[in-house]
């Protein structure tokens, strides 16, 4: 079984995504929050995607905002063969509404993907840990310095945390304007901060986690 750890690299938005980890991360972002919550509750057990190239496989474990989701099956399916029952399992009212959505998307094959909630996300516990143990704060600073060092735009981590702190739950598009960044760049890079337990995603926007607030307090002293 492949466990997909949400590691990231910094790349221009126009550059082709070349690693499986990056592809799956982008796939994860296509799940609406209500669908993720449906998967966690067990009400949703299928997802349908239209791709030129298959980007997930059976056994993949994907980290999301609600926890780890496991891919249990992947099958190509003809659009006309999607049933009302399957559409309902994917969180849609009926097959017609799902088919209409898929037809609006660019060319590609249709895939029926079986999904199931696997386990809680360890980042949830991490983000609540705001009292740093010996050496932990220094380790966190080192990880953020690495993100800054290998970024093509220079230091960005503290600036991004600060703009989130000053604009809690602001829509990503508006927050990107505040941060003077492209929206997709912002969303991808905030997830890097989230993987360190520093931010929390909302509908809409983001806030700093207790850990993120503690970190910002520490560097302001």
């Amino acid at each position: 079984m492949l466990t997909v750890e949400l590691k990231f690299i910094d790349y221009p938005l126009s550059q082709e995504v070349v690693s499986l980890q990056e592809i799956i991360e982008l796939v994860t972002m296509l799940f609406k929050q209500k669908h993720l919550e449906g998967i966690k509750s067990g009400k949703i057990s299928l997802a349908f995607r239209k791709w030129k190239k298959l980007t997930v496989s059976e056994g993949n474990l994907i980290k999301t905002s609600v926890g780890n989701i496991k891919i249990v099956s992947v099958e190509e399916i003809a659009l006309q063969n999607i049933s009302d029952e399957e559409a309902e399992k994917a969180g849609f009212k009926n097959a017609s509404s799902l088919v209409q959505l898929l037809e609006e998307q660019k060319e590609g094959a249709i895939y029926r993907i079986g999904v199931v909630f696997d386990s809680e996300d360890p980042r949830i516990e991490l983000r609540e840990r705001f009292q740093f143990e010996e050496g932990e704060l220094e380790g966190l600073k080192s990880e953020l310095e690495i993100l800054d060092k290998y970024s093509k735009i220079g230091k960005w981590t503290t600036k991004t945390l600060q703009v989130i702190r000053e604009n809690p739950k602001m829509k990503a598009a508006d927050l990107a304007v505040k941060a003077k960044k492209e929206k997709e760049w912002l969303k991808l890079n905030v997830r890097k901060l989230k993987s360190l337990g520093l931010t929390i995603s909302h509908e809409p926007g983001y806030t700093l986690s207790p850990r993120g607030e503690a970190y910002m307090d520490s560097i302001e002293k």
Side-chain angles (χ1 to χ4, degrees), residues 159-176:
K159 293 178 182 178
T160 303
L161 288 168
Q162 186 62 40
V163 77
I164 291 173
R165 192 183 209 185
E166 294 172 352
N167 302 278
K169 298 185 179 180
M170 178 179 283
K171 290 182 179 179
D174 296 330
L175 190 66

Side-chain angles (χ1 to χ4, degrees), residues 52-109:
K52 289 183 179 180
K53 181 179 179 181
L54 182 61
T55 55
V56 296
S57 59
E58 183 178 337
N60 286 163
L61 194 62
I62 303 174
K63 287 184 178 179
T64 75
S65 61
V66 300
N68 298 323
I69 291 175
K70 186 176 182 179
I71 305 297
V72 295
S73 64
V74 181
E75 299 175 281
E76 189 171 341
I77 184 173
L79 202 60
Q80 64 270 21
N81 290 339
I82 299 175
S83 67
D84 285 335
E85 181 181 0
E86 289 177 322
E88 290 175 5
K89 289 181 179 180
F92 290 83
K93 184 177 180 180
N94 51 44
S96 296
S97 58
L98 173 57
V99 168
Q100 181 180 359
L101 178 64
L102 292 170
E103 286 181 332
E104 292 173 355
Q105 299 174 15
K106 59 186 179 181
E107 62 182 24

Side-chain angles (χ1 to χ4, degrees), residues 121-130 132 140 143-144 161 190-200 207-215:
D121 187 343
R123 293 175 299 181
I124 295 176
E125 180 182 353
L126 178 63
R127 73 191 189 194
E128 298 299 323
R129 200 165 71 222
F130 60 89
F132 298 105
L140 177 58
E143 291 186 84
L144 291 170
L161 288 168
V190 168
R191 293 185 72 86
K192 300 177 187 179
L193 301 174
K194 184 178 179 180
S195 71
L196 297 174
L198 299 175
T199 65
I200 301 173
T207 59
L208 295 191
S209 66
R211 184 178 180 82
E213 290 284 359
Y215 169 75

Side-chain angles (χ1 to χ4, degrees), residues 139-198:
L140 177 58
K141 288 180 179 179
S142 295
E143 291 186 84
L144 291 170
E145 286 172 0
I146 290 172
L147 290 177
D148 285 335
K149 180 179 179 180
Y150 290 100
S151 171
K152 291 180 173 63
I153 66 168
K155 295 182 178 181
W156 62 271
T157 57
T158 299
K159 293 178 182 178
T160 303
L161 288 168
Q162 186 62 40
V163 77
I164 291 173
R165 192 183 209 185
E166 294 172 352
N167 302 278
K169 298 185 179 180
M170 178 179 283
K171 290 182 179 179
D174 296 330
L175 190 66
V177 173
K178 290 275 187 181
K180 299 181 180 179
K181 298 290 187 295
E182 294 184 38
K183 184 179 76 170
E184 294 307 317
W185 180 95
L186 179 75
K187 291 171 71 174
L188 283 172
N189 284 280
V190 168
R191 293 185 72 86
K192 300 177 187 179
L193 301 174
K194 184 178 179 180
S195 71
L196 297 174
L198 299 175

Side-chain angles (χ1 to χ4, degrees), residues 29-46:
M29 293 171 63
L30 296 178
F31 284 103
K32 292 184 177 180
Q33 188 66 25
K34 65 178 182 179
H35 290 156
L36 289 173
E37 291 169 357
I39 294 170
K40 184 172 184 178
S41 69
K43 293 180 180 179
I44 292 178
S45 58
L46 289 176

